[in-house]
């Protein structure tokens, strides 16, 4: 178990998800903006590259183990878009991103999609682990629910009739793309 783990995100929703997942991985879980300011340019071409960039930059900045992610929504009818550009496809609110997505899908029958996440755990001057996870589902016709963030109000995971934003956070956190990636990292640490 780690003494301290910094969750390298400025997104409070992601922090809460990771805090719940990592409770058995570290004694103290820290929200990165509470201890430092750092903007890391997402210049990678893949989720893994972006997650690694963020984890390494934060680990160098605070000299503590850091967990970072890069994630996105991949929609089949849009040839995998918005993908790694999910957070910045529209430089505005989550509502505007959802509006962009639903407008882009207008007239398309195929609503299948998946959330993808790469997690990188960087321990300064020691090692870096990367785990990739997915959650498959479909895009709803309209937003529903108030839990979560990003595209959660329009993503219905396979096996459910509710969006991520309608599901209880404990359910979402047990099936999400971030959880599936986190399982891979935590398995590596416990070997």
């Amino acid at each position: 178990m780690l003494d301290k783990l910094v969750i390298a995100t400025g997104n409070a929703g992601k922090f809460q998800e990771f805090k719940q997942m990592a409770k058995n991985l570290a004694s103290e879980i820290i929200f990165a903006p509470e201890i430092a300011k750092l903007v890391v340019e997402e210049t990678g071409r893949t989720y893994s590259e972006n997650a690694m960039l963020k984890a390494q930059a934060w680990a160098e900045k605070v000299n503590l183990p850091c967990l970072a992610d890069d994630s996105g929504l991949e929609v089949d009818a849009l040839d995998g878009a918005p993908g790694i550009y999910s957070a910045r496809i529209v430089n505005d609110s989550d509502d505007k991103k959802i509006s962009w997505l639903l407008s882009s899908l207008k007239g398309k029958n195929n609503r299948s999609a998946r959330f993808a996440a790469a997690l990188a755990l960087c321990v300064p001057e020691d090692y870096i682990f990367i785990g990739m996870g997915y959650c498959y589902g479909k895009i709803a016709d309209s937003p529903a629910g108030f839990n979560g963030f990003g595209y959660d109000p329009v993503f219905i995971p396979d096996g459910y009739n509710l969006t991520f934003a309608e599901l209880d956070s404990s359910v979402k956190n047990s099936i999400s793309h971030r959880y599936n990636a986190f399982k891979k990292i935590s398995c590596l640490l416990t070997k």
Side-chain angles (χ1 to χ4, degrees), residues 25-91:
L25 188 61
S27 301
E28 184 181 354
I29 300 170
I30 303 163
F31 188 34
E34 292 177 354
I35 60 170
K37 291 191 188 312
L38 179 65
V39 176
V40 181
E41 221 31 68
E42 292 183 358
T43 57
R45 291 173 292 146
T46 65
Y47 300 112
S48 295
E49 287 176 8
N50 284 333
M52 197 164 47
L53 285 169
K54 291 186 267 189
Q56 287 178 314
W58 273 98
E60 287 174 18
K61 174 86 173 174
V62 299
N63 199 32
L64 290 169
C66 292
L67 180 70
D69 92 307
D70 191 39
S71 55
L73 179 67
E74 300 174 347
V75 181
D76 289 344
L78 303 178
D79 297 323
I84 64 168
Y85 304 105
S86 294
R88 50 193 188 277
I89 194 78
V90 176
N91 288 327

Side-chain angles (χ1 to χ4, degrees), residues 47-48 70 74 116-119 130-134 177 180-182 184:
Y47 300 112
S48 295
D70 191 39
E74 300 174 347
L119 267 60
I130 295 180
M132 193 76 198
Y134 300 94
H177 48 307
N180 289 324
F182 183 79
K184 292 177 181 173

Side-chain angles (χ1 to χ4, degrees), residues 4-5 7 11 14 22 65 68 83-84 101-102 105-106 108 120 128 130 133-134 147 180 187:
K4 294 182 178 183
L5 176 64
I7 307 299
N11 183 316
K14 278 188 188 182
I84 64 168
L101 175 63
L102 295 178
L105 285 173
K106 199 165 267 200
K108 298 186 188 297
I128 188 161
I130 295 180
Y134 300 94
N147 297 325
N180 289 324
C187 284

Side-chain angles (χ1 to χ4, degrees), residues 11 17 73 93-99 101-102 105 111 113 115 138-157 161-167 172 177-178:
N11 183 316
E17 285 184 17
L73 179 67
S93 67
D94 289 345
D95 290 340
K96 297 273 175 138
K97 291 174 187 139
I98 288 171
S99 292
L101 175 63
L102 295 178
L105 285 173
R111 308 291 277 195
F115 269 122
K138 64 183 179 184
I139 304 301
D141 292 327
S142 59
F146 300 100
N147 297 325
F149 55 91
Y151 298 95
D152 287 356
V154 291
F155 183 79
I156 302 169
N161 294 319
L162 302 172
T163 68
F164 262 179
E166 293 175 295
L167 290 173
K172 178 192 171 191
H177 48 307
R178 277 187 273 283

